[in-house]
Amino acid sequence: MAQEHHTQVTTEDIAQAFEEDTGPADLSPYSVEDWITLAVFWGMALCVFLQFFTRYVMNNSLAWTEEIAINCLVVVVFGGAVMCVRMSRHIQVDVLYHYISPRLARVLSITVDVVRIAFFAYAVKLLWRYVGIVSRERMVTIDLPRSIIFYTVFAAFVLMLLRALQVAWGNWRRGYSVLERPGAFDGMGE
């Protein structure tokens, strides 16, 4: 077994790393849906804090905070899924691509894109039907329609479908995908 050699790092080196000027933050990889998801996330965090504060500090919990936090979590999950589709960051197995021919890898990658698009298209169809069935339901603790959440999930799936089409088009134009060349996508916001 080979012996590993590690470079010693001092506390001064670590402290200087925090002082280095990295320039302005690059917000270009983020899209409109990411910012909306971030806002909903902070709304959820506020609801959870309010619930904690009223329950444990004031000993008189606000019942609506839990339902709103749960619904916000649903929106955050599906909004985050849109981001993952756009950035090709969902869990995927790419080890197989290291052992097959580039031509077969390309065919398999195109197949993955087509199956992903078909899945999102079918999910959009199912969600549209589901929203039509349950559109009259109301939330339990506040008098708002639950269709707000259902339509948000539907919109997220529509966005995932559109982003999957966008990713597939980029893969087809580029001639490879993240599955075939993961190193080409490291640090890439697209």
Side-chain angles (χ1 to χ4, degrees):
M1 187 147 112
Q3 188 161 353
E4 294 183 30
H5 297 283
H6 297 284
T7 306
Q8 292 293 328
V9 179
T10 65
T11 55
E12 288 82 22
D13 293 336
I14 295 172
Q16 286 179 350
F18 287 105
E19 295 174 3
E20 293 175 4
D21 184 24
T22 58
D26 180 23
L27 302 177
S28 63
Y30 303 106
S31 186
V32 173
E33 63 265 19
D34 303 336
W35 296 109
I36 293 170
T37 302
L38 181 66
V40 173
F41 171 80
W42 282 109
M44 177 186 70
L46 181 66
C47 281
V48 170
F49 174 77
L50 188 59
Q51 181 182 30
F52 175 83
F53 182 78
T54 57
R55 178 178 289 168
Y56 294 110
V57 175
M58 302 187 73
N59 204 22
N60 188 10
S61 180
L62 294 173
W64 59 268
T65 55
E66 182 175 358
E67 184 173 25
I68 295 299
I70 289 169
N71 289 326
C72 286
L73 180 61
V74 169
V75 173
V76 167
V77 165
F78 288 103
V82 174
M83 180 196 278
C84 287
V85 170
R86 188 185 77 251
M87 298 177 79
S88 296
R89 296 296 187 213
H90 275 112
I91 295 173
Q92 47 202 7
V93 179
D94 60 0
V95 71
L96 176 67
Y97 291 84
H98 298 289
Y99 298 106
I100 60 177
S101 70
R103 183 174 172 86
L104 182 59
R106 187 73 203 122
V107 169
L108 190 57
S109 177
I110 290 171
T111 304
V112 167
D113 285 338
V114 169
V115 168
R116 180 181 333 161
I117 290 166
F119 169 78
F120 288 132
Y122 186 61
V124 164
K125 178 184 171 186
L126 289 178
L127 275 165
W128 182 251
R129 289 178 59 199
Y130 181 73
V131 167
I133 293 168
V134 297
S135 62
R136 291 190 198 101
E137 287 186 15
R138 307 293 288 177
M139 292 185 187
V140 176
T141 57
I142 55 176
D143 192 28
L144 287 175
R146 288 206 32 90
S147 61
I148 294 169
I149 305 306
F150 299 138
Y151 279 119
T152 304
V153 173
F154 171 75
F157 270 95
V158 169
L159 282 172
M160 283 187 263
L161 173 61
L162 295 174
R163 292 301 189 177
L165 287 166
Q166 181 184 24
V167 167
W169 178 252
N171 291 343
W172 295 335
R173 283 187 45 214
R174 193 173 31 255
Y176 61 89
S177 73
V178 69
L179 293 167
E180 298 166 89
R181 297 185 195 171
F185 290 82
D186 288 345
M188 190 168 142
E190 215 172 88

